[in-house]
Amino acid sequence: MLSLTPKKVSERSAIKINPAKTCQPVGAMYAALGVHKCMPHSHGSQGCCSFHRMYLTRHFKEPAIASSSSFTEGASVFGGGSNLKTSAKNIFDIYKPDIIAVHTTCLSETIGDDIGSIIQDIDIPEGKYMVHTNTPSYVGSHVTGFTNMVSGFIKYLSVKSAVKNGKLAVFPGFVNPGDMREMKRILNYLKVPFTMLPDTSGVCDAPMTGSYEMYPKGGTKIEDIKKLGECELSLALGEMTSEESANELKRKCGVPYKALPLPIGIEATDEFVMQLSRFSSTEVPYDLEEERGQLVDIMLDAHPYYHNKSVAIYGDPDTVLGIAAFALELGMVPKYLVTGTPGIIFEQKAKELFSKYGVENYIAKAAGDLFELHQWIKNDPVDLLIGGTHGKYIARAENIPLVRAGFPIIDRYVHSYLPIVGYKGAIRLVELILNAIMDKQDAECNEEDMEMVM
Amino acid sequence: MEARERLLDKYSARVFKNRKDHVITKAEDATEIAANSRTIPGIMTNRGCCYAGCKGVVLGPLKDVAVITHGPIGCAFYSWGTRRHKAKGDENTKNFLEYCFSTDMQESDIVFGGEKKLRQAIQEVVEIFDPASIMICSTCPVGLIGDDINAVAAEAEKLYNRKVIAFSCEGYKGVSQSGGHHIANNGLIRHVIGTGDRPVKKYAINILGEYNIGGDGWEISRVLKRIGYDIVSVMTGDGSYAELKNAHLAELNVVQCHRSINYIAEMLKTKYGTDWIKVNFIGVSSMIKSLRDMAKYFGDEELIAKTEEVIAEELEAVSEELEYYKSRLKGKTAALFVGGSRSHHYQKLLKDLGVETVLAGYEFAHRDDYEGREVIPFIKEDADSKNIESIKVSPDEAKYKIRLSETKYNELKDSLSLEYYEGMIKEMENGAIIVDDLNHFETEEFLNLLKPDVFYSGIKDKYVAQKGGILSRQLHSYDYSGPYASFKGAVNFARDTVMGIYTPAWKYVTAPWKTEPTLEGTLTGGEQSA
């Protein structure tokens, strides 16, 4: 497995090998699926759209709808305006969404299609909407695309208002529907009136009912996006994913925002809960306190199995930092943090986090790849890997247990239904980590050392 | 009203005008279909692009080649490990299939050009991996910004003393994956095939258009090797640059996927005189026919006898299980919508199992795949496909060899369908529906109208069908199972379908409280009490 990867790390300036990111539009497509009765539309050649739908479907094991402008060579040379116009006509005619959310690809970005102007020329049916964002694949990553699409909805729909509605705008970040559900559960515990954008719960984890619904029950309502401008405050969860969208709402509608890390692990969840409690002037209910106490109880119970264990974490920037923080809380040693998403802020945030715990011996790299991570591991191994599916080859090659968390996970089921955020999510992560470590011990210890009780 | 009419009726006049020729009902007198034309924008096609056809399908499986995707990260990422073309390296052959190589173009590369980065990327790949060959695949922006990847490849070939080939397979070229197949075929015949000189043995063949999905190619090769064939190369499942170089030395080409590789089959015939026959290794009866056809081509008594012996043994090994699965499947109906060949190939296997095909279609096949190669002279090339280069080859003075005497050739021509493919439609039953470039709307409508027991399709519509209560088995990825080809594969396929139809979860779709009341009450004084 990966036997051609040499131990010696060589300087690379051009070739990316086994990336830890993908391109913008798939993030935009995912964000658009989190709006109720929305058709994500990919303005480019159709291969992108098929690839992105394929990836979302493989991660969620659910349908992922989206349409494409289906560029031909002619359109690529002379512009894709008529392709987008024809698309809009056909989509409203045949698929009847309430809103079409257009994103772009490297093709339409390179030729410089002016989507805003094209949309202005389109005859949009009464009561329907069409919004867009620019998602050039050669900038940032899928996380950037997600952020851009969320901002696109705000730019087009949210209205500035002098009257406030007492609500909190919540930007959940690039997380699974299971995480969004958990965030909403906590928001409800604290009696916070809120609008979450996007919200893919009920869309990307829709139930089996025997009849296919193109637009499932879930998703943020258009009316609620419009009223985001009436919110008192917005909460950007995951600074690197959500802050830009919260900032957009501030710029456009004057809604102030607070940026917090993704509520992964105990301290970040505490911060999230405290923030909500302050916002709604509601005491933290016992039920939530009980969950937190259970988490701490488990952390104490099981600490011998993960204490001082070293771990490599890879994936999207906010997720990686969130898991790294939790690993530190558990007494583990996060040795390597890798995100494919570029941005020096990731490395700065990692530095802040590690200095808080007085840890110096670590590598955190943005715009990194799994090939290099593997090389580091060959030189100085770790006890555990945490990240998406693509790390399983390293896990097998180096015999390191792997905990699957983040995006994309295309080789396991159920994961997207359950959270990794909140106290509940932290409890789940501890279980996944323990199972991985303890299964390995059971599989590999000497027979005479097999333990009945652990 | 017939299903076809009921469906088309729902379209606007504009869309109707386009789609009516792509959706037909099989009848004796109506077999012409529109295909390989541009996709309607916004229709929600299942199609992919030229890059997917070139890199994802044809070149990707070549294990000893480092394929570098020149473009932003997505294209390389999505085609990394997602098509299940299996390969195994050995001490002489490196296997790059676990790796994904991309130049990960950034904004500055779009502005100032990406050639410099591509050159550097090639150097780094050579230094780290020392691959037998490097192939470069371009993505959408590359053609637009004018990077000359051919020049970079030629320069690198000299510099590093190994084969470096550029493929201009930008996603917007052509109308589907199909253009990418053609581009890949051209590159391989131009730069690879014909450059090797391994000695071949008796019954030397190439297997064309077989990508070893889920181990299909290995299962086919297992049987062919038992019979005694010398497999010179497989294009391109578990294939390699090293093997492919010798492909011109085979005596016969057997073509599995006509759409993706017929260009090479034709060019091998013109340039080296190698005959080809269309085979179908999917399903027991098709497999047997294909093996007999191959033996007949060589006309060698010993080979024919050995073929029958192997057929008998293989059949013996699977027949009991197949009979059982047949008893579970008999009378079921199926719809098939796959890329450019499987929608046809699996019909025979389904028939073997007693399953009737009520609808079949291709994403990107051409009219000849539907109607047979005899229509090729009548296919009009439209503006969208004209830009896919069609190369002309001529007989190679040194290496051209006539395999069969003219008499022998003519004798075999009709019984073996030499250089011929009959297409999908001829084999279908009257009344069955044939759809080209089936879209999401049509998928939903046809599934509702025809209510097949199984929908064999791809990942994007699998869960659409399943949510609607219809089993969907993927015929691209085999739902991570396989092999499905040849004798053993037929058993796997039948087992997987039976498993899907009879899995207990279908019984639980409707919650009991939807059909049985849970609130029991009597009316007392106008009030209901529980």
Side-chain angles (χ1 to χ4, degrees):
Chain A
M1 189 97 333
L2 297 174
S3 55
L4 303 174
T5 303
K7 192 171 170 184
K8 184 175 168 286
V9 180
S10 50
E11 270 306 308
R12 279 180 289 135
S13 63
I15 193 76
K16 187 78 77 189
I17 311 168
N18 297 358
K21 66 166 178 184
T22 181
C23 64
Q24 284 209 36
V26 73
M29 189 182 280
Y30 180 52
L33 287 171
V35 170
H36 186 62
K37 291 203 81 176
C38 177
M39 175 68 84
H41 182 80
S42 169
H43 187 56
S45 52
Q46 67 211 8
C48 312
C49 186
S50 280
F51 273 150
H52 301 144
R53 293 179 62 203
M54 164 193 96
Y55 242 87
L56 293 175
T57 294
R58 289 193 164 145
H59 178 83
F60 296 110
K61 315 295 181 198
E62 289 291 319
I65 56 158
S67 52
S68 165
S69 290
S70 294
F71 272 56
T72 55
E73 186 153 22
S76 307
V77 176
F78 301 112
S82 73
N83 289 57
L84 188 55
K85 284 175 199 163
T86 311
S87 296
K89 217 173 174 49
N90 288 331
I91 295 163
F92 282 126
D93 248 26
I94 300 168
Y95 297 114
K96 303 177 175 57
D98 284 349
I99 181 166
I100 297 174
V102 182
H103 61 260
T104 56
T105 68
C106 46
L107 172 54
S108 52
E109 286 297 325
T110 303
I111 65 172
D113 268 355
D114 182 352
I115 314 289
S117 315
I118 301 169
I119 289 179
Q120 281 187 346
D121 285 346
I122 290 174
D123 199 9
I124 298 164
E126 182 75 28
K128 307 270 181 174
Y129 300 86
M130 205 165 162
V131 303
H132 97 277
T133 191
N134 293 90
T135 50
S137 312
Y138 44 77
V139 176
S141 75
H142 57 294
V143 176
T144 323
F146 179 88
T147 308
N148 285 342
M149 190 71 250
V150 176
S151 303
F153 282 111
I154 295 169
K155 274 183 196 154
Y156 270 84
L157 299 172
S158 304
V159 184
K160 190 180 168 106
S161 165
V163 189
K164 294 290 168 192
N165 62 9
K167 281 175 144 187
L168 179 72
V170 181
F171 299 103
F174 198 117
V175 294
N176 277 323
D179 296 310
M180 295 182 191
R181 280 180 194 275
E182 179 60 14
M183 289 173 183
K184 291 197 287 186
R185 198 177 65 96
I186 296 172
L187 283 154
N188 288 329
Y189 262 143
L190 286 147
K191 302 191 165 48
V192 177
F194 66 91
T195 296
M196 182 180 277
L197 177 72
D199 180 1
T200 58
S201 66
V203 180
C204 297
D205 62 357
M208 171 70 187
T209 58
S211 78
Y212 168 74
E213 298 293 338
M214 185 158 207
Y215 307 106
K217 286 194 168 69
T220 315
K221 302 273 193 314
I222 296 169
E223 285 311 303
D224 290 333
I225 303 176
K226 286 184 177 176
K227 288 183 189 155
L228 279 177
E230 296 174 22
C231 287
E232 309 281 340
L233 176 75
S234 64
L235 212 51
L237 299 176
E239 290 109 322
M240 284 157 283
T241 315
S242 297
E243 191 163 355
E244 181 49 36
S245 306
N247 207 3
E248 184 60 42
L249 186 61
K250 187 180 165 202
R251 277 195 294 264
K252 188 168 184 212
C253 305
V255 179
Y257 74 88
K258 286 215 165 71
L260 299 183
L262 279 179
I264 297 175
I266 194 155
E267 285 192 26
T269 306
D270 284 348
E271 208 180 334
F272 177 56
V273 170
M274 295 281 280
Q275 196 59 245
L276 300 184
S277 171
R278 277 187 213 116
F279 180 82
S280 65
S281 307
T282 304
E283 265 188 55
V284 179
Y286 177 70
D287 285 355
L288 204 54
E289 209 171 293
E290 188 177 65
E291 278 175 24
R292 187 182 184 280
Q294 289 172 332
L295 169 62
V296 180
D297 195 59
I298 291 164
M299 287 167 72
L300 282 164
D301 291 346
H303 76 272
Y305 293 96
Y306 45 67
H307 192 80
N308 256 342
K309 290 275 192 287
S310 60
V311 55
I313 308 163
Y314 57 89
D316 299 341
D318 286 309
T319 314
V320 170
L321 283 182
I323 295 171
F326 187 42
L328 286 164
E329 289 162 6
L330 291 172
M332 299 178 80
V333 185
K335 197 145 75 181
Y336 310 122
L337 306 186
V338 175
T339 184
T341 300
I344 194 77
I345 181 170
F346 174 78
E347 291 166 23
Q348 285 164 356
K349 291 264 173 204
K351 199 172 172 186
E352 283 166 31
L353 179 67
F354 283 105
S355 63
K356 200 169 110 184
Y357 285 84
V359 176
E360 280 169 3
N361 204 3
Y362 73 93
I363 306 177
K365 189 167 179 178
D369 60 30
L370 297 183
F371 180 74
E372 191 175 16
L373 173 63
H374 188 188
Q375 291 185 312
W376 296 338
I377 289 170
K378 276 179 179 285
N379 286 287
D380 189 6
V382 289
D383 299 309
L384 188 71
L385 281 167
I386 305 180
T389 291
H390 293 85
K392 81 190 234 179
Y393 291 81
I394 303 176
R396 178 167 160 139
E398 305 303 327
N399 188 26
I400 302 168
L402 167 65
V403 167
R404 285 171 179 76
F407 178 86
I409 297 171
I410 53 177
D411 66 332
R412 289 294 185 270
Y413 291 74
V414 188
H415 60 88
S416 60
Y417 292 80
L418 301 175
I420 61 165
V421 300
Y423 304 121
K424 276 267 190 256
I427 289 173
R428 177 168 170 249
L429 267 181
V430 179
E431 189 185 18
L432 291 172
I433 290 170
L434 283 169
N435 285 351
I437 292 173
M438 294 165 99
D439 282 349
K440 184 168 193 262
Q441 183 180 325
D442 282 346
E444 293 181 352
C445 68
N446 293 329
E447 287 189 2
E448 63 275 23
D449 294 331
M450 188 77 162
E451 295 291 341
M452 183 66 80
V453 185
M454 290 170 92
Chain B
M1 206 166 20
E2 258 198 281
R4 174 183 179 269
E5 280 70 34
R6 285 172 68 178
L7 171 110
L8 290 172
D9 211 38
K10 296 189 179 178
Y11 278 130
S12 67
R14 199 167 23 87
V15 177
F16 173 86
K17 201 172 151 223
N18 177 302
R19 290 300 299 161
K20 69 176 170 41
D21 300 325
H22 294 265
V23 184
I24 64 171
T25 306
K26 164 83 188 274
E28 298 303 339
D29 56 347
T31 50
E32 192 176 323
I33 192 163
N36 190 35
S37 56
R38 71 167 65 169
T39 313
I40 301 175
I43 201 84
M44 267 181 94
T45 177
N46 270 300
R47 283 174 167 180
C49 68
C50 187
Y51 166 85
C54 182
K55 193 272 179 179
V57 174
V58 182
L59 304 181
L62 293 169
K63 58 190 168 188
D64 57 351
V65 176
V67 182
I68 299 176
T69 298
H70 186 39
I73 200 70
C75 306
F77 182 86
Y78 303 118
S79 57
W80 172 24
T82 45
R83 200 163 180 269
R84 300 180 58 235
H85 42 68
K86 289 178 176 267
K88 205 166 165 11
D90 55 39
E91 61 275 16
N92 301 317
T93 315
K94 289 179 178 169
N95 180 5
F96 286 99
L97 265 58
E98 290 155 7
Y99 294 89
C100 164
F101 301 104
S102 167
T103 53
D104 188 16
M105 286 174 96
Q106 300 296 304
E107 197 152 28
S108 57
D109 303 313
I110 301 293
V111 177
F112 301 110
E115 285 179 25
K116 201 173 147 211
K117 195 173 192 186
L118 177 60
R119 269 190 213 104
Q120 176 66 22
I122 295 169
Q123 187 188 328
E124 289 169 7
V125 166
V126 169
E127 282 168 3
I128 299 170
F129 297 99
D130 189 23
S133 162
I134 291 175
M135 298 187 185
I136 302 154
C137 289
S138 55
T139 63
C140 289
V142 172
L144 302 171
I145 63 172
D147 274 1
D148 188 348
I149 60 167
N150 281 292
V152 174
E155 179 195 305
E157 180 158 326
K158 278 205 197 101
L159 202 55
Y160 305 113
N161 193 28
R162 73 198 68 203
K163 190 56 85 181
V164 182
I165 312 171
F167 294 84
S168 294
C169 53
E170 284 84 354
Y172 54 76
K173 285 193 174 159
V175 298
S176 67
Q177 289 94 312
S178 183
H181 302 148
H182 200 160
I183 289 167
N185 276 227
N186 291 348
L188 294 179
I189 199 96
R190 218 179 232 157
H191 301 287
V192 184
I193 295 167
T195 58
D197 56 1
R198 96 139 153 96
V200 296
K201 299 186 201 102
K202 264 211 297 195
Y203 322 134
I205 58 163
N206 295 312
I207 306 176
L208 269 59
E210 167 47 57
Y211 302 100
N212 200 31
I213 306 298
D216 273 356
W218 289 331
E219 167 59 13
I220 295 163
S221 298
R222 181 186 67 79
V223 176
L224 294 180
K225 281 178 185 161
R226 280 195 68 193
I227 294 172
Y229 288 101
D230 175 13
I231 301 166
V232 181
S233 78
V234 183
M235 295 180 203
T236 50
D238 194 32
S240 64
Y241 167 75
E243 273 181 13
L244 208 52
K245 290 197 291 187
N246 304 301
H248 62 296
L249 297 166
E251 296 297 323
L252 175 69
N253 291 319
V254 297
V255 173
Q256 173 68 21
C257 172
H258 175 261
R259 182 67 267 135
S260 66
I261 214 82
N262 78 90
Y263 314 100
I264 283 182
E266 278 183 54
M267 290 189 277
L268 281 171
K269 169 79 180 165
T270 311
K271 196 169 175 184
Y272 302 106
T274 329
D275 301 312
W276 67 266
I277 56 169
K278 178 74 183 74
V279 290
N280 178 13
F281 294 130
I282 303 295
V284 167
S285 57
S286 298
M287 180 77 187
I288 291 171
K289 179 177 184 301
S290 298
L291 295 178
R292 287 183 176 147
D293 282 356
M294 289 168 69
K296 197 166 171 187
Y297 175 84
F298 286 98
D300 180 306
E301 286 311 319
E302 202 182 323
L303 181 71
I304 292 168
K306 186 69 190 170
T307 298
E308 292 305 324
E309 185 191 319
V310 170
I311 289 173
E313 283 173 20
E314 293 287 337
L315 209 47
E316 166 73 25
V318 297
S319 56
E320 198 178 320
E321 266 187 289
L322 278 177
E323 275 310 309
Y324 166 74
Y325 290 127
K326 189 175 173 178
S327 74
R328 305 282 282 170
L329 291 171
K330 209 170 162 40
K332 305 275 183 210
T333 57
L336 298 96
F337 182 69
V338 208
S341 83
R342 289 193 180 95
S343 297
H344 179 195
H345 292 141
Y346 278 80
Q347 287 191 37
K348 210 54 179 286
L349 169 54
L350 287 165
K351 209 172 196 170
D352 290 348
L353 295 166
V355 179
E356 183 198 350
T357 299
V358 292
L359 176 146
Y362 293 128
E363 278 175 48
F364 50 74
H366 300 195
R367 278 184 60 200
D368 41 323
D369 305 292
Y370 286 105
E371 302 171 47
R373 283 182 69 90
E374 61 270 30
V375 302
I376 290 178
F378 309 102
I379 297 177
K380 276 187 244 124
E381 219 177 33
D382 67 13
D384 295 319
S385 296
K386 267 189 189 146
N387 47 31
I388 307 291
E389 189 191 13
S390 208
I391 60 172
K392 289 266 173 294
V393 294
S394 45
D396 186 296
E397 278 175 31
K399 296 168 186 159
Y400 186 89
K401 196 174 107 190
I402 291 173
R403 264 66 178 190
L404 297 177
S405 69
E406 206 180 322
T407 339
K408 187 80 183 158
Y409 185 90
N410 287 331
E411 189 190 311
L412 289 177
K413 193 175 185 334
D414 291 327
S415 67
L416 278 188
S417 304
L418 277 167
E419 276 81 60
Y420 178 71
Y421 172 44
E422 61 168 356
M424 175 175 83
I425 294 178
K426 291 193 190 77
E427 238 183 292
M428 294 183 68
E429 301 289 340
N430 281 341
I433 290 170
I434 299 131
V435 192
D436 175 65
D437 188 16
L438 184 79
N439 57 53
H440 180 101
F441 171 75
E442 291 166 7
T443 303
E444 266 198 78
E445 290 291 318
F446 274 131
L447 290 181
N448 280 331
L449 289 165
L450 304 171
K451 297 205 171 13
D453 294 293
V454 203
F455 181 44
Y456 293 103
S457 183
I459 185 68
K460 293 191 294 294
D461 41 20
K462 176 184 174 78
Y463 298 102
V464 172
Q466 187 179 297
K467 279 266 193 303
I470 290 171
L471 170 69
S472 178
R473 291 288 312 178
Q474 297 179 60
L475 272 193
H476 297 271
S477 73
Y478 304 161
D479 284 290
Y480 329 111
S481 174
Y484 280 176
S486 175
F487 296 94
K488 289 185 180 171
V491 176
N492 293 337
F493 173 83
R495 178 201 62 216
D496 289 351
T497 301
V498 166
M499 169 177 84
I501 288 178
Y502 293 98
T503 195
W506 293 115
K507 287 189 295 210
Y508 303 114
V509 172
T510 308
W513 52 88
K514 297 275 184 195
T515 49
E516 266 178 59
T518 51
L519 302 176
E520 284 172 23
T522 48
L523 286 175
T524 48
E527 280 180 35
Q528 199 176 29
S529 63

